[in-house]
Amino acid sequence: MGCSSCSTAKDGQPRGCKNNGTCGTDGCNKLTVFDWLSNMSLPGGEKPFDCVEVRFKNSRKEFFRNTENLTLSIGDVIATQAQSGHDIGMVTLVGELVKVQMKRKKVDFKDKTIPKIYRKATQNDIDKWQKCRDREEEIKKRAREIAIILKLQMKISDVEFQGDGSKATFYYTAEERVDFRQLIKDMAKAFGIRIEMRQIGYRQEAQRLGGIGSCGRELCCSTWLTDFRSVSTSAARYQQLSLNPQKLAGQCGKLKCCLNYELDMYLEALKDFPASDTKLFTEKGLAFCQKTDIFKELLWFSYKDDPSNWHVLNKGQVQEILEKNKKKEKVASLEEYTTENFVNEEKETVFENVVGQDSLTRFDRPKKSRNRKRNRNKTKSKNGDTKTRSRGNAKKQTKDKQPNNNRPKSGRPNQKKRRNNNKRQQKNE
């Protein structure tokens, strides 16, 4: 958590602001807008824009008019006007950028029917709002059980309480039209509040719930994407992607929105590019296109009689052959163009491997072990300690270990000397 309201609690665990990843200081809110005019002051005589953008649970945002001229900033919790009672929301944007957002979402800022801001939320308002938020998961689970008992083909994905706790909005998804009149009666009796049912699409459901995509990042629809354009399978065909529904579908079950991100670049590159079903007529035989590389402008062709051998041609060469075929002229063979390409590739050396740093197995070579020499020079003492010795010290130790014949053995040489000395003394006498 990166905000002051999401500081850490005991044992280093995050405290959290109980907003499911959305913070009070608008540091990690869903669909947040960066206020790049926050450090700029208004010119003299200009009044600040009186409309404010307010965020409620998850991605629901609405615009309210500040009729009381309250000093509001991003992250303030306020009480706003609702159809009945009041609602509690959080300010996400103030100033002139609100006017830009209203134009983007086609909301007339001159309209007098825009709801108003009552006041800044008091502590009692915030406590009541938090209690209602804590009940949402329990009520959602109970509502799903009631829908299963009534055998309704629908999925209740989210529940949102009004700030004063008098009303709850249930968001659901369904493939067909659902008669939920009995469901509303049963839930009103069970919960004792006013019920509103609102059907949303599968992409809006993923936007509200959020999640992690296959790319490892948060879903685009829950972080920054606001408009959901239709995505067709032709977008995957243009980008030469395999039509695998498990890989092309997102968490909402529909095709991924990111398929449209690079589609315009592919369409621009394919304007003057030969089609993938082009056929080349040569004297050697008919050739079919097997593979294309749009950005490198290369095409691979193979003869009808020899489909295993592919020949690489660039876009200009293919267009040249097609023009000759339109004039009912045949090319001798595709090998003529492939040999030209091979010669050009030899001349144009883009990169030369001088040092060998591009080898993938450069780290897999076994290193020479230096421990052998070290182990030879190490001896273990009686205490278990290791001592290193040099060659000179080793020779001295081996000399000391060799037996010395001059040493006396068990006292016998001394007795012989005494006898000889006694014999000499007797002769002299």
Side-chain angles (χ1 to χ4, degrees):
M1 297 293 184
C3 302
S4 58
S5 59
C6 295
S7 58
T8 56
K10 295 181 180 179
D11 299 330
Q13 296 179 356
R15 188 192 306 275
C17 54
K18 296 183 181 180
N19 286 329
N20 296 329
T22 56
C23 301
T25 57
D26 202 58
C28 56
N29 282 337
K30 295 181 179 180
L31 302 176
T32 184
V33 179
F34 178 69
D35 190 3
W36 52 275
L37 294 176
S38 59
N39 296 328
M40 299 178 66
S41 59
L42 292 172
E46 290 290 333
K47 294 182 179 180
F49 190 60
D50 59 347
C51 289
V52 177
E53 184 186 62
V54 181
R55 179 185 59 80
F56 298 93
K57 185 181 177 182
N58 291 339
S59 59
R60 185 169 72 91
K61 287 185 178 182
E62 294 182 7
F63 299 99
F64 294 88
R65 195 177 296 279
N66 187 8
T67 56
E68 301 295 330
N69 295 325
L70 301 173
T71 56
L72 300 175
S73 59
I74 294 175
D76 291 340
V77 182
I78 57 174
T80 61
Q81 182 182 355
Q83 292 181 358
S84 60
H86 67 275
D87 203 352
I88 302 298
M90 190 178 297
V91 178
T92 56
L93 194 64
V94 295
E96 293 296 322
L97 286 182
V98 181
K99 187 184 293 185
V100 178
Q101 290 294 103
M102 295 178 75
K103 288 182 180 178
R104 186 179 179 184
K105 295 182 179 180
K106 297 180 181 180
V107 179
D108 187 10
F109 60 89
K110 296 180 181 180
D111 189 5
K112 296 182 180 180
T113 60
I114 295 175
K116 303 175 183 178
I117 296 174
Y118 288 150
R119 63 185 183 277
K120 285 189 177 182
T122 61
Q123 188 62 38
N124 293 329
D125 294 334
I126 295 173
D127 293 340
K128 193 173 184 179
W129 177 47
Q130 291 293 343
K131 289 180 181 178
C132 295
R133 292 288 297 272
D134 294 338
R135 293 177 57 197
E136 288 177 354
E137 289 297 326
E138 181 183 354
I139 289 177
K140 181 172 68 174
K141 183 180 178 181
R142 178 61 182 156
R144 287 178 177 176
E145 293 175 355
I146 296 173
I148 292 170
I149 293 171
L150 296 175
K151 297 181 180 180
L152 298 176
Q153 299 297 324
M154 60 184 296
K155 176 188 174 184
I156 298 175
S157 59
D158 195 12
V159 182
E160 182 180 355
F161 263 91
Q162 194 169 292
D164 54 0
S166 62
K167 176 184 173 183
T169 304
F170 290 81
Y171 297 90
Y172 71 95
T173 56
E175 295 182 357
E176 298 178 356
R177 190 172 181 179
V178 181
D179 185 9
F180 46 77
R181 288 177 291 182
Q182 187 63 35
L183 178 65
I184 293 176
K185 292 179 182 179
D186 295 343
M187 288 194 298
K189 290 180 182 178
F191 307 139
I193 53 176
R194 291 187 296 110
I195 305 297
E196 180 183 351
M197 302 297 293
R198 187 173 297 179
Q199 186 175 3
I200 57 176
Y202 293 102
R203 290 184 175 174
Q204 283 78 12
E205 180 186 9
Q207 180 186 17
R208 292 188 65 84
L209 300 180
I212 305 297
S214 59
C215 58
R217 302 185 56 142
E218 291 187 53
L219 299 179
C220 299
C221 56
S222 63
T223 51
W224 62 272
L225 191 63
T226 55
D227 54 338
F228 299 105
R229 298 180 182 178
S230 60
V231 185
S232 59
T233 55
S234 61
R237 291 193 184 96
Y238 285 131
Q239 301 177 46
Q240 299 179 356
L241 300 174
S242 61
L243 299 178
N244 188 356
Q246 294 180 352
K247 293 183 178 180
L248 296 181
Q251 292 190 359
C252 57
K254 304 294 183 180
L255 292 175
K256 293 180 181 179
C257 297
C258 56
L259 293 175
N260 284 337
Y261 295 168
E262 298 179 357
L263 182 60
D264 295 336
M265 181 180 288
Y266 276 90
L267 292 175
E268 186 177 354
L270 286 170
K271 285 182 179 179
D272 56 347
F273 201 83
S276 59
D277 57 348
T278 55
K279 300 176 183 178
L280 302 180
F281 295 94
T282 63
E283 295 178 357
K284 195 174 180 179
L286 183 63
F288 294 93
C289 181
Q290 299 288 348
K291 180 184 174 183
T292 58
D293 191 339
I294 298 171
F295 295 106
K296 289 185 178 180
E297 298 182 349
L298 297 176
L299 294 92
W300 284 261
F301 285 86
S302 65
Y303 292 107
K304 183 179 180 180
D305 300 331
D306 190 9
S308 60
N309 293 327
W310 292 8
H311 305 279
V312 186
L313 302 176
N314 57 37
K315 183 179 71 174
Q317 293 172 347
V318 175
Q319 291 176 351
E320 182 182 350
I321 296 172
L322 289 174
E323 289 179 359
K324 290 183 179 180
N325 290 336
K326 287 181 181 179
K327 297 177 183 179
K328 297 182 179 181
E329 297 179 2
K330 292 185 179 180
V331 183
S333 63
L334 298 178
E335 284 79 354
E336 297 178 358
Y337 296 93
T338 55
T339 53
E340 292 179 3
N341 294 334
F342 182 73
V343 172
N344 293 330
E345 286 180 0
E346 287 185 350
K347 290 181 180 179
E348 297 178 0
T349 55
V350 181
F351 172 75
E352 290 184 1
N353 181 17
V354 181
V355 186
Q357 292 181 353
D358 62 339
S359 176
L360 296 176
T361 60
R362 62 183 183 274
F363 297 113
D364 298 338
R365 296 172 183 172
K367 296 181 179 179
K368 296 180 180 179
S369 61
R370 299 178 180 177
N371 296 327
R372 293 180 180 177
K373 294 181 180 179
R374 294 177 182 176
N375 293 331
R376 291 175 182 174
N377 297 330
K378 287 184 179 180
T379 56
K380 292 183 179 180
S381 62
K382 294 181 180 180
N383 297 329
D385 299 331
T386 57
K387 295 182 180 180
T388 58
R389 61 177 183 177
S390 61
R391 293 182 179 178
N393 295 329
K395 290 180 180 179
K396 289 179 181 179
Q397 291 178 4
T398 53
K399 288 180 180 179
D400 295 337
K401 289 181 180 180
Q402 290 178 359
N404 191 358
N405 297 325
N406 297 326
R407 290 179 181 177
K409 293 182 181 181
S410 66
R412 291 180 182 178
N414 295 329
Q415 292 177 359
K416 290 181 179 181
K417 286 182 179 180
R418 289 174 183 174
R419 291 176 183 175
N420 294 328
N421 291 329
N422 292 330
K423 289 179 180 181
R424 288 175 186 176
Q425 289 178 0
Q426 291 177 2
K427 287 180 180 181
N428 294 325
E429 290 176 356

Coordinates of all heavy atoms in Angstrom, one line a residue, residues 206-233:
A206 N -16.1 -7.4 -15.2 CA -14.6 -7.5 -14.9 C -14.1 -6.2 -14.5 O -13.1 -6.1 -13.7 CB -13.9 -8.0 -16.2
Q207 N -14.7 -5.1 -15.0 CA -14.2 -3.7 -14.7 C -14.5 -3.5 -13.2 O -13.6 -2.9 -12.5 CB -14.9 -2.7 -15.5 CG -14.5 -1.3 -15.2 CD -15.4 -0.3 -16.0 OE1 -16.4 -0.6 -16.5 NE2 -14.9 1.0 -16.0
R208 N -15.6 -3.9 -12.7 CA -15.9 -3.6 -11.3 C -15.1 -4.5 -10.3 O -14.7 -4.1 -9.3 CB -17.4 -3.9 -11.1 CG -18.3 -2.9 -11.8 CD -19.8 -3.0 -11.3 NE -19.9 -2.8 -9.9 CZ -20.1 -1.6 -9.4 NH1 -20.2 -0.5 -10.2 NH2 -20.3 -1.4 -8.1
L209 N -15.0 -5.8 -10.7 CA -14.3 -6.7 -9.8 C -12.8 -6.6 -9.9 O -12.1 -6.8 -8.9 CB -14.7 -8.2 -10.1 CG -16.2 -8.4 -10.0 CD1 -16.5 -9.9 -10.4 CD2 -16.7 -8.1 -8.6
G210 N -12.2 -6.3 -11.1 CA -10.8 -6.2 -11.3 C -10.1 -7.6 -11.3 O -10.8 -8.7 -11.2
G211 N -8.8 -7.6 -11.5 CA -8.1 -8.9 -11.5 C -6.7 -8.7 -12.2 O -6.4 -7.6 -12.6
I212 N -6.0 -9.8 -12.4 CA -4.7 -9.8 -13.1 C -4.9 -10.6 -14.4 O -5.4 -11.7 -14.4 CB -3.7 -10.5 -12.2 CG1 -3.6 -9.9 -10.8 CG2 -2.3 -10.5 -12.9 CD1 -3.2 -8.4 -10.8
G213 N -4.4 -9.9 -15.5 CA -4.5 -10.5 -16.8 C -3.4 -11.5 -17.1 O -2.5 -11.7 -16.2
S214 N -3.4 -12.1 -18.2 CA -2.4 -13.1 -18.6 C -1.1 -12.4 -18.8 O 0.0 -13.1 -18.8 CB -2.8 -13.8 -19.9 OG -3.0 -12.9 -21.0
C215 N -1.0 -11.1 -19.0 CA 0.2 -10.4 -19.2 C 0.9 -10.1 -17.8 O 2.1 -9.7 -17.8 CB 0.0 -9.1 -19.9 SG -1.2 -8.0 -19.0
G216 N 0.2 -10.4 -16.7 CA 0.8 -10.2 -15.4 C 0.5 -8.8 -14.8 O 0.9 -8.5 -13.7
R217 N -0.3 -8.0 -15.5 CA -0.6 -6.7 -15.0 C -2.1 -6.7 -14.7 O -2.9 -7.6 -15.0 CB -0.3 -5.6 -16.0 CG 1.1 -5.6 -16.4 CD 1.4 -4.4 -17.3 NE 1.0 -3.1 -16.7 CZ 1.7 -2.0 -16.9 NH1 2.8 -2.0 -17.6 NH2 1.3 -0.9 -16.3
E218 N -2.6 -5.6 -14.0 CA -4.0 -5.4 -13.7 C -4.8 -5.2 -15.0 O -4.2 -4.8 -16.0 CB -4.2 -4.2 -12.8 CG -3.7 -4.5 -11.4 CD -4.1 -3.3 -10.4 OE1 -5.3 -3.0 -10.4 OE2 -3.2 -2.7 -9.8
L219 N -6.0 -5.6 -14.9 CA -6.9 -5.5 -16.1 C -7.0 -4.1 -16.6 O -7.1 -3.1 -15.8 CB -8.3 -6.0 -15.8 CG -8.4 -7.5 -15.4 CD1 -9.8 -7.9 -15.1 CD2 -7.8 -8.4 -16.5
C220 N -6.9 -3.9 -17.9 CA -7.0 -2.5 -18.5 C -8.3 -1.9 -18.2 O -8.4 -0.7 -17.9 CB -6.7 -2.6 -20.0 SG -5.1 -3.2 -20.5
C221 N -9.4 -2.7 -18.2 CA -10.7 -2.1 -18.0 C -10.9 -1.6 -16.6 O -11.7 -0.7 -16.3 CB -11.8 -3.2 -18.3 SG -11.6 -4.7 -17.4
S222 N -10.2 -2.1 -15.6 CA -10.3 -1.7 -14.2 C -9.3 -0.7 -13.8 O -9.3 -0.1 -12.7 CB -10.2 -2.9 -13.3 OG -8.9 -3.5 -13.4
T223 N -8.3 -0.3 -14.7 CA -7.3 0.7 -14.3 C -7.4 1.9 -15.2 O -7.4 3.0 -14.6 CB -5.9 0.1 -14.5 OG1 -5.8 -0.5 -15.8 CG2 -5.7 -1.0 -13.5
W224 N -7.5 1.8 -16.5 CA -7.5 3.1 -17.3 C -8.5 3.0 -18.5 O -8.9 4.1 -19.0 CB -6.1 3.3 -17.8 CG -5.6 2.2 -18.8 CD1 -5.0 1.1 -18.4 CD2 -5.8 2.2 -20.2 NE1 -4.7 0.3 -19.5 CE2 -5.2 1.0 -20.6 CE3 -6.4 3.0 -21.1 CZ2 -5.2 0.6 -22.0 CZ3 -6.3 2.7 -22.5 CH2 -5.7 1.5 -22.9
L225 N -8.9 1.9 -18.9 CA -9.8 1.8 -20.1 C -11.2 2.2 -19.7 O -11.8 1.6 -18.8 CB -9.7 0.4 -20.7 CG -10.4 0.2 -22.1 CD1 -9.6 1.0 -23.1 CD2 -10.3 -1.3 -22.4
T226 N -11.8 3.1 -20.4 CA -13.2 3.6 -20.1 C -14.2 3.2 -21.2 O -15.3 3.0 -20.9 CB -13.2 5.1 -20.0 OG1 -12.6 5.7 -21.2 CG2 -12.4 5.5 -18.8
D227 N -13.8 3.1 -22.5 CA -14.7 2.8 -23.5 C -14.4 1.4 -24.0 O -13.2 1.0 -24.2 CB -14.6 3.8 -24.7 CG -13.2 3.9 -25.2 OD1 -12.3 3.6 -24.5 OD2 -13.1 4.3 -26.4
F228 N -15.4 0.6 -24.2 CA -15.3 -0.8 -24.6 C -15.7 -0.9 -26.1 O -16.9 -0.9 -26.4 CB -16.1 -1.7 -23.7 CG -15.8 -1.7 -22.3 CD1 -16.6 -1.0 -21.4 CD2 -14.6 -2.3 -21.8 CE1 -16.3 -1.0 -20.0 CE2 -14.3 -2.3 -20.5 CZ -15.1 -1.6 -19.6
R229 N -14.7 -1.0 -26.9 CA -15.0 -1.2 -28.3 C -15.2 -2.7 -28.6 O -14.6 -3.5 -28.0 CB -13.8 -0.7 -29.2 CG -13.5 0.8 -29.0 CD -12.4 1.3 -29.8 NE -12.1 2.7 -29.6 CZ -11.1 3.3 -30.2 NH1 -10.3 2.7 -31.1 NH2 -10.9 4.6 -30.0
S230 N -15.9 -2.9 -29.7 CA -16.2 -4.3 -30.1 C -14.9 -4.9 -30.7 O -14.2 -4.3 -31.5 CB -17.3 -4.4 -31.1 OG -17.0 -3.6 -32.2
V231 N -14.6 -6.1 -30.3 CA -13.4 -6.9 -30.7 C -13.9 -8.1 -31.5 O -14.7 -8.9 -31.0 CB -12.5 -7.3 -29.6 CG1 -11.3 -7.9 -30.1 CG2 -12.2 -6.1 -28.7
S232 N -13.4 -8.2 -32.7 CA -13.8 -9.3 -33.6 C -12.6 -10.3 -33.8 O -11.5 -9.9 -33.6 CB -14.4 -8.8 -34.9 OG -13.4 -8.1 -35.6
T233 N -13.0 -11.4 -34.3 CA -11.9 -12.4 -34.6 C -11.0 -12.0 -35.8 O -9.9 -12.5 -35.9 CB -12.5 -13.8 -34.9 OG1 -13.4 -13.6 -36.0 CG2 -13.2 -14.3 -33.7

